[in-house]
């Protein structure tokens, strides 16, 4: 069993390297959505190529208010090879390595979290750490880009958002996701290489639908299907899939809002697909219906739907969206990956830290060096076992046990 020791420095406040302007900057309506007032930690790992400085913390200069930002460095006495494949959470002594012990925020600086949520884009930080005199893409503040129109027009988005706004999700009684404490749930990450994705894709019919589906669409559809079956929802229960989608220029679907790459406010748009559990669990057609729901939801992300979403979010004015009975699937393969270059070496893996009910899709290389997609899942223990069994059916490759099922590769 693997164990290791970490050494963590005392928190220090890094002040600006030169005077900064004292001014009030207004936020966008997407920034002000209460659901966005959260802090999500991400851990990334890089394989040294002989360029790693002795002091990997480096010398940082942060331009912000005179309050500065909290900085903590940590090191561990192990190598990346000890953690293959590099997905979170990591196994240790039958349990899980708690990455938050290394990178958690000091309690007495909790008030700084919401300020730091609006830091410049992550690639700008990598540029500075690599030694560039300024970010290659300069940060842009312009929050008016994602501010509600006058008068607002919410009709295009409201039908999809209505259950989240009004809380009328029709959640089943004794839903284990609501009754199980977060700390008592199992958090597992599943690796899908070319072989696994090809096996899952082969079940998507007809061929025209298969050709329309990206790898993300296939994985989102299959995991939603298996999760619904594992949770034991009644046939009439509505299952809602919620896909955050970047509105940044050049993003997969959101470039039409003309949000520049340097914009570092919240720029998440939302795709919501709805389907009855009975349609997902019907014999022979469940995966087709799940894939159709994903594709139909993505087609709704038109310029008017996006603008209408901003108008709708502005109308909430401090209220939160309700996510009971909603399966959130977030594709961060482009956010967390080898596009980051701190000048230390090749990106090797990483992901979101902590037990998040949302399912995150990230990338890593498996133990054989094959590029894989990592899908996180958080469910109560017993239901997690059912989820694995359901997933094994769709992978349907003989594992030598004679039952025609192969369990998915997992980090735990």
């Amino acid at each position: 069993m693997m164990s290791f020791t970490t050494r963590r420095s005392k928190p220090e406040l890094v002040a600006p390297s030169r005077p900064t302007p004292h001014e009030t900057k207004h936020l966008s309506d997407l920034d002000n959505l209460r659901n966005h007032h959260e802090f999500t930690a991400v851990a990334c790992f890089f394989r040294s190529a002989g360029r790693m400085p002795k002091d990997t913390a480096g010398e940082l200069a942060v331009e912000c208010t005179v309050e500065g930002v909290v900085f903590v460095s940590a090191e561990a006495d192990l190598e990346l090879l000890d953690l293959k494949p590099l997905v979170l959470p990591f196994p240790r002594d039958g349990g899980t390595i708690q990455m938050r012990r290394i990178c958690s925020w000091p309690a007495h600086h909790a008030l700084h979290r919401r300020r730091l949520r609006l830091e410049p884009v992550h690639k700008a930080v990598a540029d500075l750490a690599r030694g560039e005199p300024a970010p290659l893409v300069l940060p842009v503040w312009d929050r008016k880009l994602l501010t509600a129109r006058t008068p607002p027009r919410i009709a295009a988005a409201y039908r999809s958002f209505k259950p989240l706004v009004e809380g009328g999700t029709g959640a089943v009684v004794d839903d284990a996701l609501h009754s199980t404490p977060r700390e008592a749930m199992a958090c597992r990450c599943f690796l899908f290489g070319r072989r696994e994705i090809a096996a899952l894709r082969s079940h998507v019919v007809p061929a025209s639908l298969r050709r329309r589906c990206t790898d993300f669409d296939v994985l989102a559809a299959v995991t939603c299907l298996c999760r619904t079956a594992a949770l034991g929802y009644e046939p009439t229960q509505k299952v809602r899939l919620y896909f955050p989608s970047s509105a940044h220029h050049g993003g997969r679907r959101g470039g039409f809002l003309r949000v520049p790459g340097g914009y570092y406010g919240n720029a998440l748009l939302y795709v919501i697909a709805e389907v009855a559990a009975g349609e997902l669990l019907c014999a022979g057609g469940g995966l087709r219906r799940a894939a159709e729901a994903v594709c139909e939801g993505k087609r709704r992300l038109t310029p008017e739907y996006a603008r209408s979403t901003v108008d709708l979010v502005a109308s909430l004015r401090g209220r939160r969206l309700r996510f009971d009975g909603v399966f959130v699937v977030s594709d961060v393969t482009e956010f967390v990956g080898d596009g980051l270059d701190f000048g230390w070496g090749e990106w090797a893996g990483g992901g979101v830290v902590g037990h998040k009910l949302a399912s995150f899709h990230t990338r890593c290389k498996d133990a054989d060096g094959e590029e894989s997609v990592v899908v996180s899942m958080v469910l109560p223990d017993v239901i997690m076992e059912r989820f694995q069994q359901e997933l094994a059916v769709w992978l349907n490759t003989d594992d030598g046990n004679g039952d025609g099922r192969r369990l998915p590769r997992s980090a735990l």
Side-chain angles (χ1 to χ4, degrees):
M1 293 292 182
M2 179 180 60
S3 62
F4 65 90
T5 302
T6 61
R7 293 168 293 280
R8 178 175 166 176
S9 71
K10 292 182 178 179
E12 58 181 302
L13 204 59
V14 180
S17 61
R18 60 183 182 271
T20 59
H22 289 201
E23 58 184 331
T24 299
K25 288 185 173 291
H26 295 283
L27 303 181
S28 75
D29 290 313
L30 284 184
D31 288 329
N32 280 316
L33 178 62
R34 285 194 61 193
N35 296 82
H36 290 162
H37 295 177
E38 297 179 355
F39 179 83
T40 299
V42 175
C44 293
F45 301 91
F46 299 86
R47 186 175 291 104
S48 173
R51 304 189 300 273
M52 185 77 74
K54 183 177 180 181
D55 179 8
T56 55
E59 294 185 4
L60 303 181
V62 180
E63 185 171 3
C64 55
T65 68
V66 293
E67 293 174 277
V69 295
V70 179
F71 181 77
V72 178
S73 65
E75 60 181 20
D77 57 351
L78 81 166
E79 298 182 355
L80 290 182
L81 290 176
D82 299 325
L83 296 175
K84 270 195 169 184
L86 280 170
V87 294
L88 297 172
F90 300 119
R92 178 177 69 86
D93 298 338
T96 300
I97 295 174
Q98 299 297 324
M99 291 298 297
R100 58 179 172 269
R101 293 177 184 169
I102 300 176
C103 57
S104 61
W105 291 86
H108 59 285
H109 288 298
L111 292 179
H112 289 277
R113 293 187 185 183
R114 284 178 60 179
R115 291 191 183 97
L116 295 179
R117 182 178 57 83
L118 299 175
E119 62 183 340
V121 290
H122 57 291
K123 289 189 178 181
V125 177
D127 292 342
L128 295 174
R130 196 171 60 247
E132 298 288 347
L136 298 182
V137 178
L138 292 177
V140 174
W141 177 266
D142 196 358
R143 294 305 201 268
K144 293 181 180 178
L145 293 169
L146 295 175
T147 298
R149 299 170 291 190
T150 303
R153 301 190 295 274
I154 68 173
Y158 186 75
R159 185 169 67 90
S160 295
F161 276 83
K162 183 177 179 180
L164 279 67
V165 173
E166 298 182 357
T169 61
V172 294
V173 178
D174 297 328
D175 187 338
L177 285 176
H178 304 154
S179 59
T180 305
R182 187 75 60 88
E183 60 274 11
M185 291 193 181
C187 177
R188 296 187 183 177
C189 294
F190 301 95
L191 276 67
F192 297 90
R194 292 190 302 270
R195 179 183 57 186
E196 287 86 2
I197 293 176
L200 296 175
R201 183 178 288 277
S202 69
H203 294 291
V204 179
V205 292
S208 58
L209 176 60
R210 187 185 311 131
R211 287 191 294 269
R212 281 164 39 206
C213 288
T214 65
D215 288 350
F216 171 80
D217 298 340
V218 172
L219 291 175
V222 171
T223 52
C224 177
L225 176 62
C226 295
R227 180 180 180 273
T228 300
L231 285 166
Y233 286 156
E234 294 294 330
T236 57
Q237 167 68 16
K238 297 293 184 182
V239 176
R240 294 181 175 89
L241 292 86
Y242 178 96
F243 309 108
S245 180
S246 174
H248 277 92
H249 175 70
R252 184 167 297 169
R253 299 282 297 177
F256 45 68
L257 288 186
R258 303 184 184 279
V259 178
Y263 182 83
Y264 60 99
N266 198 297
L268 290 179
L269 299 174
Y270 309 98
V271 176
I272 303 172
E274 180 180 287
V275 61
E279 296 180 56
L280 296 179
L281 302 178
C282 66
L287 182 55
R288 173 178 178 172
R289 185 67 191 95
E292 288 174 343
V294 173
C295 292
E296 290 167 2
K298 290 170 66 174
R299 281 201 300 271
R300 281 195 215 113
L301 192 51
T302 63
E304 176 56 28
Y305 178 90
R307 289 294 179 193
S308 181
T309 297
V310 176
D311 293 348
L312 177 60
V313 165
S315 72
L316 296 177
R317 298 301 178 195
R319 294 163 57 194
R320 296 181 69 95
L321 296 174
R322 296 279 300 276
F323 284 90
D324 295 347
V326 177
F327 181 34
V328 180
V329 186
S330 185
D331 181 3
V332 293
T333 55
E334 296 178 3
F335 178 80
V336 181
D338 54 8
L340 286 180
D341 181 7
F342 287 86
W344 297 340
E346 177 190 3
W347 177 84
V352 175
V353 178
H355 281 54
K356 300 285 185 179
L357 287 180
S359 177
F360 293 95
H361 290 205
T362 57
R363 288 187 293 119
C364 84
K365 292 182 179 179
D366 65 14
D368 299 321
E370 179 187 345
E371 192 78 22
S372 301
V373 176
V374 183
V375 176
S376 67
M377 186 65 61
V378 173
L379 290 168
D381 282 315
V382 175
I383 293 175
M384 181 66 78
E385 297 305 316
R386 295 180 201 156
F387 173 83
Q388 287 197 157
Q389 294 169 8
E390 294 290 338
L391 188 54
V393 173
W394 292 103
L395 290 170
N396 75 359
T397 301
D398 194 348
D399 63 355
N401 293 330
D403 60 1
R405 297 185 179 187
R406 182 174 61 82
L407 287 177
R409 294 181 290 167
S410 171
L412 292 183

